[in-house]
Amino acid sequence: MHPAPSVIIFTTFSGLGFGLLVWLGFGLPAVTGWTAFAFFTIAYVMAVGGLIASTFHLGHPERAMKAFRQWRSSWLSREGICAVVALILMALYGAGLVFLETRWSILGILGALFSLATVFTTSMIYTQLKTIPRWNMPLTPANFLSLSIAGGALLAGQVGTAVILLLIAGVIQFFTWKVGDSRLAESGTDMASATQLGGIGQVRAFEPPHTGTNYLLREFVHVVGRKHADKLRMIALGLMTALPVILLMLPFAHWVAVIAVIAHIAGVICTRWLFFAQAEHVVGLYYGKR
Amino acid sequence: MTTLPTSTQKKLGLVIDLDTCVGCHACVISCKGWNTENYGAPLSDQDAYGANPSGTFLNRVHSYEVQPAEGAAQLIHFPKSCLHCEDAPCVTVCPTGASYKRVEDGIVLVNESDCIGCGLCAWACPYGAREMDAEEKVMKKCTLCVDRIYNENLPEEDREPACVRTCPAGARHFGDFADPDSNVSRLTAERGGVDLMPEQGTKPVNKYLPPRPKDAMPEIDVLAPYLEPVVAEPKGFISWLDKALEKL
């Protein structure tokens, strides 16, 4: 898949923003007034910024309101609804904390649950696709949710919990890669099943339909970036999990926490780039590519 | 609604005969021509006369080389367009309801004025049947020439998809798969028509007829094996050259 910057920014920052909202919703940390304002601003800039970035890859963003209609069948529609509900609930809850110094805990818990649901529905947009066997497995939502909650804990300053959650997210990330690597082969979809010509013999793509490229090849067949995948995985795990965990073990200082957060975000961007760049869409098989 | 109909009254679709297709791409051109001038946004081209030409097509012809365990390789031309799946994953993923499957005839269509151009339907299609038009920024796909097949302004023989009408080899057939006696149902039954990527669970309506097995050329002359080989050992200059090169 083509690793478009808009979807990488969207999944990375929305995941972190909604992850932070989950913790704030449960009152961890139990902030009020201007401190609460600062926390909520960070969460909203990330969550809403990510959502706005996601509209950049739309052909017709002016029609985006129509995307709330098909929640019965579409995970993308469900995600939109969950995101809007979560943002409204958390805005009301946040307003109570900031301006009235009052905690409406039921509102906070509901907002936190919808924030979690937003991250889950985002992951299901990718997980549902049988055409991309690497994504089509339960580890994908586990990967998105664990990263979001761990990143949220890091941003919410829950140092002890963040260390454990970052390690869990790292382990899940490792297995997501490990299991994902063999998903295409296990799916049973290959050139023989795509063309149904395997009964005659070995199938080879002889000539593509056009001499030039096309939308399908640009969008679904991205082979260039896979060369350094192993190195990038190491770098991603180091930045996303190892470095923040080490920094959090050190005596607490604000600048150390800031470096931990920046490292974590850089690591997550790296894993999301790999998430798209390494994903093989089965349509590539018609072109003899994967 | 982007939920799929539980059943459709008709199942209109195509049979594509891989044994007959000569790979002339006439169906590609007639499809592009008809669908650029008629229903919906035109199929645009980018840099058509430049160094990197590319464009939107609803039908593309691939060519595959298939090497059997014994004997010569076969070249098979492979036209591919929307298969109008019964369990179309492109329809259910659509957030706006722009993608839908018609209850009356099973054709999968896009309502272009509702399409936000998110591209998710193309991600969900295993066959590469949907292409985002780079100019109009909406998703384009085969309509089974819905503006031809019911069009009473056209002579009756033209009321079939442009690709079928134009195919000079007769490799494309249009009909109703819900009717067991239709031309397409009978062809599929007689020739062992198959689904592409059946493991994807899309239940495509369009069927592909596999190439017929090649016959083997029998030995024409029973005495031929007893004849002396024409050239056994090289003679003269070639013989000398052969030996000289051996020694090197």
Side-chain angles (χ1 to χ4, degrees), chain A residues 2-282:
Chain A
H2 169 62
S6 60
V7 280
I8 294 173
I9 291 169
F10 157 59
T11 56
T12 303
F13 286 98
S14 281
L16 284 167
F18 283 108
L20 177 53
L21 286 177
V22 170
W23 289 94
L24 293 174
F26 284 113
L28 297 163
V31 282
T32 52
W34 286 109
T35 329
F37 184 77
F39 271 108
F40 274 87
T41 305
I42 293 169
Y44 270 78
V45 165
M46 285 187 169
V48 178
L51 288 171
I52 291 170
S54 77
T55 65
F56 290 160
H57 86 280
L58 296 183
H60 285 276
E62 77 281 5
R63 299 176 188 160
M65 291 303 283
K66 294 185 175 187
F68 295 108
R69 301 198 298 212
Q70 301 299 327
W71 51 271
R72 281 188 187 84
S73 73
S74 168
W75 282 105
L76 180 50
S77 194
R78 289 170 196 163
E79 184 218 26
I81 292 167
C82 284
V84 169
V85 173
L87 290 173
I88 291 172
L89 288 175
M90 291 306 285
L92 293 173
Y93 170 71
L97 289 177
V98 173
F99 301 112
L100 305 172
E101 308 260 336
T102 320
R103 175 177 308 283
W104 295 313
S105 20
I106 292 175
L107 214 53
I109 290 165
L110 270 177
L113 292 178
F114 269 98
S115 300
L116 269 181
T118 306
V119 178
F120 175 70
T121 46
T122 302
S123 72
M124 285 308 291
I125 295 171
Y126 305 109
T127 308
Q128 68 177 336
L129 298 170
K130 269 184 137 175
T131 50
I132 303 163
R134 185 185 282 279
W135 295 350
N136 187 228
M137 58 176 185
L139 273 166
T140 304
N143 180 218
F144 273 64
L145 282 169
S146 63
L147 270 176
S148 170
I149 297 168
L154 182 63
L155 289 170
Q158 305 297 305
V159 176
T161 327
V163 168
I164 297 162
L165 289 174
L166 284 170
L167 288 171
I168 293 172
V171 170
I172 292 176
Q173 182 65 68
F174 176 78
F175 281 104
T176 307
W177 286 330
K178 205 81 195 140
V179 177
D181 283 344
S182 54
R183 287 286 297 167
L184 179 63
E186 287 161 9
S187 73
T189 301
D190 52 18
M191 281 187 78
S193 85
T195 61
Q196 293 292 306
L197 296 171
I200 303 171
Q202 189 68 36
V203 185
R204 188 174 77 89
F206 182 76
E207 199 174 36
H210 293 83
T211 50
T213 185
N214 63 34
Y215 166 76
L216 301 169
L217 290 170
R218 285 191 297 268
E219 185 79 358
F220 301 121
V221 184
H222 179 89
V223 186
V224 187
R226 295 183 192 151
K227 199 171 111 190
H228 298 297
D230 284 341
K231 278 180 204 162
L232 282 171
R233 283 180 176 183
M234 298 289 284
I235 293 168
L237 266 189
L239 289 171
M240 182 185 98
T241 295
L243 190 58
V245 165
I246 293 166
L247 290 172
L248 290 182
M249 305 278 232
L250 297 175
F252 182 81
H254 271 104
W255 67 270
V256 174
V258 168
I259 294 173
V261 168
I262 291 170
H264 179 73
I265 293 173
V268 176
I269 289 173
C270 201
T271 67
R272 287 293 142 81
W273 188 86
L274 285 165
F275 179 75
F276 290 101
Q278 288 203 291
E280 306 99 336
H281 193 293
V282 294

Side-chain angles (χ1 to χ4, degrees), chain B residues 154-187:
Chain B
L154 295 176
E156 202 169 339
E157 66 266 30
D158 284 338
R159 289 180 211 160
E160 58 180 10
C163 58
V164 176
R165 185 76 183 97
T166 209
C167 179
R172 305 178 72 97
H173 307 268
F174 166 68
D176 178 14
F177 287 86
D179 172 8
D181 289 325
S182 67
N183 59 335
V184 287
S185 297
R186 288 207 316 273
L187 263 174

